[in-house]
Amino acid sequence: MNNYNQEQPVNKRVANLNQTFQGYTDHTTGHLSLVNTNTDCIQSCPFTYLITLVSWIEQEKLPENLRQPQDLRNNNLRTDLITYLDNVQENSSLKQKIRKLHLSRLSSFSEYFGEACFYPIIDYSLPPNQVYQVVNAGNYLQKNTILNQENLKQQVVLIGTAGYKDSGLSKNHSDTFPLPMGVAYWRIQNPKSGFLQDFTGVEINAYMIQNLIKQNLVIPIPDFLMIGIAVFLSKGMQLLLLQHQYSKRDSRLFIALLAGGTLVYTLISMQMYISLKLLLPLFLPYPLDFVGCG
């Protein structure tokens, strides 16, 4: 993306867009890259979103009239793909899955103001080894690592440059990021996993693609909403306490009820995350892994 937030095409000497897909990797920190409801993805499209579409197409086994990348073509491959998917039957399973990857109107509205309210976040709750397998390029080229070719046909393969001194990236563009708390926990549990010390951009994309393919869209409830509810309830309890006089026994019972209510809220929050993919904050503000609005 350039300074005007416009997607820059790849150099034709590197890849022909009539035979390859191009997508941008810029995204709001901690959030998935989705498209607005009114965006057709022809002019600009997230890389992880495109990878998800291609993966679903492979799973659905669509008709052979869908043009393939290796064909001699005169049209932009991404344009043809999006146009083809726009004409897929509305009641098809593929169309329903694609519809879920579009931002809600509320999220699109908040994004217009530069905010990320109700915007799905990257879910790092799964251990890395259940999301992706790290293969050292040097070991693979020297045939020290053997991969099952049949399994590769069902997998998404990402090639990253982080961790390689000769990759051509400068120190200011090292493609490494702070380690998310969830991933840090899993690495502590499995110290011999063989992962790099830093958390790389290709690993972030791997988590994003896994979330999108599995339609694991976790939506955080914004801090300001929960703070507003807490202020309202606190004010109500204050007025209730001022209107009545309580004994020490009643006060202890009231404190016990507050503690019990906190426990119930925690259990409800966990169940809402598991069942509804809604993330209620247990502590304010959110931990670094889970960003609300802003």
Side-chain angles (χ1 to χ4, degrees):
M1 306 290 280
N2 62 11
N3 294 333
Y4 300 99
N5 202 33
Q6 295 176 336
E7 187 175 301
Q8 296 298 292
V10 65
N11 192 306
K12 293 182 179 180
R13 291 178 296 180
V14 177
N16 184 352
L17 293 184
N18 292 346
Q19 298 181 4
T20 58
F21 289 116
Q22 173 181 278
Y24 63 85
T25 56
D26 299 34
H27 70 284
T28 305
T29 303
H31 295 80
L32 297 174
S33 294
L34 303 180
V35 296
N36 293 324
T37 304
N38 300 325
T39 302
D40 56 17
C41 219
I42 291 179
Q43 299 299 325
S44 180
C45 199
F47 166 75
T48 51
Y49 179 83
L50 277 174
I51 293 294
T52 302
L53 294 183
V54 174
S55 177
W56 282 346
I57 289 174
E58 290 293 327
Q59 295 174 11
E60 294 285 336
K61 297 181 180 180
L62 295 180
E64 295 181 357
N65 60 343
L66 178 62
R67 300 297 298 273
Q68 299 299 314
Q70 63 269 26
D71 293 343
L72 295 176
R73 318 175 66 257
N74 296 319
N75 299 323
N76 185 287
L77 181 60
R78 186 176 72 189
T79 300
D80 280 359
L81 173 67
I82 301 303
T83 302
Y84 180 89
L85 294 177
D86 286 342
N87 296 324
V88 174
Q89 294 181 356
E90 291 294 331
N91 60 351
S92 65
S93 61
L94 178 60
K95 197 75 170 185
Q96 293 175 5
K97 289 193 292 187
I98 293 175
R99 195 177 293 114
K100 290 182 179 179
L101 295 190
H102 284 74
L103 287 175
S104 65
R105 295 186 182 276
L106 183 59
S107 296
S108 299
F109 180 76
S110 65
E111 187 182 44
Y112 178 79
F113 294 98
E115 301 293 339
C117 298
F118 303 102
Y119 204 119
I121 61 172
I122 305 174
D123 185 4
Y124 293 112
S125 61
L126 284 177
N129 57 13
Q130 294 186 22
V131 177
Y132 53 85
Q133 176 187 358
V134 175
V135 178
N136 182 279
N139 292 338
Y140 178 73
L141 294 175
Q142 295 173 10
K143 298 183 179 181
N144 294 329
T145 300
I146 300 177
L147 299 177
N148 189 314
Q149 299 298 321
E150 290 300 320
N151 290 341
L152 279 179
K153 295 179 180 180
Q154 308 298 324
Q155 303 295 324
V156 173
V157 179
L158 302 177
I159 301 176
T161 58
Y164 296 92
K165 295 181 180 179
D166 299 328
S167 63
L169 295 178
S170 64
K171 293 183 179 180
N172 296 329
H173 300 84
S174 60
D175 197 37
T176 57
F177 301 86
L179 192 64
M181 295 174 64
V183 178
Y185 169 80
W186 292 119
R187 289 190 179 185
I188 293 174
Q189 300 302 311
N190 188 15
K192 298 181 180 180
S193 58
F195 294 113
L196 295 174
Q197 182 177 0
D198 298 315
F199 195 58
T200 65
V202 69
E203 291 177 284
I204 295 176
N205 282 314
Y207 265 102
M208 293 174 68
I209 292 172
Q210 191 273 346
N211 289 174
L212 295 177
I213 290 178
K214 299 299 183 180
Q215 300 182 68
N216 181 28
L217 306 182
V218 179
I219 300 178
I221 303 302
D223 290 345
F224 73 86
L225 183 60
M226 299 306 298
I227 291 175
I229 295 175
V231 169
F232 177 80
L233 293 177
S234 299
K235 186 63 177 179
M237 286 189 290
Q238 181 188 27
L239 295 175
L240 180 64
L241 292 173
L242 291 176
Q243 292 176 359
H244 300 82
Q245 293 183 350
Y246 294 94
S247 62
K248 289 185 178 180
R249 181 176 178 276
D250 293 334
S251 299
R252 292 172 182 172
L253 179 61
F254 182 74
I255 294 174
L257 289 175
L258 285 178
T262 302
L263 177 61
V264 170
Y265 172 78
T266 302
L267 295 176
I268 292 176
S269 300
M270 296 175 62
Q271 189 59 48
M272 290 185 69
Y273 168 73
I274 295 172
S275 303
L276 303 177
K277 298 301 179 182
L278 290 177
L279 186 64
L280 295 175
L282 295 179
F283 306 97
L284 299 176
Y286 277 104
L288 294 179
D289 281 1
F290 303 113
V291 184
C293 294

